[in-house]
Amino acid sequence: MSWIQLRWHLQSDQVAQAEKLLTDHGAVAVVLESLADEVVLEPDPGATPIWQLVRVKAFFHLDLDVAELGAELKQLDPQLHENCEFDFIAEQDWQAALHQHAIDRRFADRLWLLPKSRAADPRPENIACLYLEPGLAFGSGSHPTTRMCLSYLAESVRPGQRILDFGCGSGILAIAAALLGATAVGVDHDDQAVLATTENARFNAVDSDQLQVFNLQDWQRLTEADFVPFDVIAANILAGPLQQLAEHFCALLQPGGRVVLSGILPQQVDSVVEAYPLIDFVKPVIEDDWACLIGIKNS
Ligand SMILES: C[S@@+](CC[C@H](N)C(=O)[O-])C[C@H]1O[C@@H](n2cnc3c(N)ncnc32)[C@H](O)[C@@H]1O
């Protein structure tokens, strides 16, 4: 099916009203993008911060009355003729387009990350296959911060180890660890992530003996009462929270246990290392301007 596409440049305070107007006029989808490459990293659950300058894209059926919609939009944006344009977009195979982003990657010849659509294919022996939905920035394995953690886990996890994936998102790291023979725990402060991890674990036939998933509040109650120390803690959650969580992570780790910390910009490495005096770090791994820190608890 073909569509009419509208592209409109707006200030952040105009966006809510614009979205309503477009939806009221039958937009089947409204997409917001940053116009000036402003980066919003990891908002808190429920928070929806927006960029100062926004590109709004809306898609309409071909019977849209463009003149009527244009007249209404002009009331919200008097400079409409400069900020807005309509064009046609042709039929595309969206499913095929999505699968171009599908991940198909092996890690240390022990872990093979594949899209869910390949789950029915014959499975090779001697390599753990992890199936996830393609296309998401995080959690599908297409982001470098995730890939660096997966490489480390695939190289180092041994059967029987206890692994904590803090900030589990889709569960990719925890499920990978479980498929490599570890007993994993996934924790996230976002209930959607807890749900996604649980569903992805089920899809990959990882049961609750191999992987337990908690939201942050339940996890805090549990760890206050009782916990068994971990052999590995993996956390791909940005430098700020990694620094705040340093003491918690060190308390949860066995002497000689390891951390793999990701989501760090190269210029933030020193401040993260400083927050972990009990950990001896090796040289950071860098990929696509992201750093990943691997270290051993020294006491
Ligand atoms: C960048 S994603 C990483 C997801 C996945 N572990 C990966 O490596 O692709 C970060 C995840 O951590 C969660 N998160 C961020 N800060 C957190 C915090 N302070 N406590 C618990 N979860 C947190 C977010 O909700 C999100 O699901």
Side-chain angles (χ1 to χ4, degrees), residues 34-218:
S34 168
L35 191 56
D37 285 337
E38 293 166 63
V39 179
V40 178
L41 294 170
E42 284 280 319
D44 287 334
T48 49
I50 196 153
W51 312 277
Q52 284 305 306
L53 291 176
V54 181
R55 181 190 296 113
V56 177
K57 284 188 193 166
F59 301 89
F60 297 89
H61 290 291
L62 295 179
D63 59 2
L64 175 74
D65 185 334
V66 175
E68 184 192 300
L69 176 62
E72 290 229 20
L73 301 186
K74 199 155 187 192
Q75 291 178 17
L76 179 61
D77 179 6
Q79 304 298 319
L80 191 72
H81 61 287
E82 286 171 25
N83 294 334
C84 180
E85 58 187 44
F86 287 93
D87 52 315
F88 287 102
I89 53 168
E91 165 83 40
Q92 267 199 45
D93 184 344
W94 296 109
Q95 205 63 22
L98 179 65
H99 280 280
Q100 284 190 343
H101 298 282
I103 185 114
D104 176 349
R105 184 182 274 251
R106 288 172 186 243
F107 296 86
D109 269 336
R110 289 184 71 211
L111 178 71
W112 193 357
L113 187 58
L114 290 157
K116 280 185 176 175
S117 57
R118 303 261 302 270
D121 293 357
R123 294 179 188 209
E125 285 179 17
N126 303 327
I127 186 160
C129 293
L130 166 49
Y131 299 98
L132 285 174
E133 217 57 84
L136 304 169
F138 283 103
S140 67
S142 55
H143 200 274
T145 59
T146 309
R147 286 201 302 264
M148 290 188 281
C149 294
L150 282 175
S151 292
Y152 176 74
L153 294 177
E155 279 160 21
S156 66
V157 167
R158 295 290 163 249
Q161 285 188 321
R162 281 178 49 79
I163 313 276
L164 173 64
D165 172 6
F166 200 95
C168 53
S170 66
I172 186 167
L173 305 180
I175 298 170
L179 292 171
L180 292 165
T183 305
V185 172
V187 176
D188 206 291
H189 62 184
D190 186 337
D191 288 337
Q192 288 302 316
V194 172
L195 196 65
T197 298
T198 308
E199 282 177 0
N200 286 327
R202 193 175 308 131
F203 188 90
N204 283 280
V206 167
D207 65 29
S208 56
D209 288 343
Q210 299 164 279
L211 169 58
Q212 286 181 287
V213 193
F214 298 98
N215 72 27
L216 187 61
Q217 281 166 355
D218 289 345

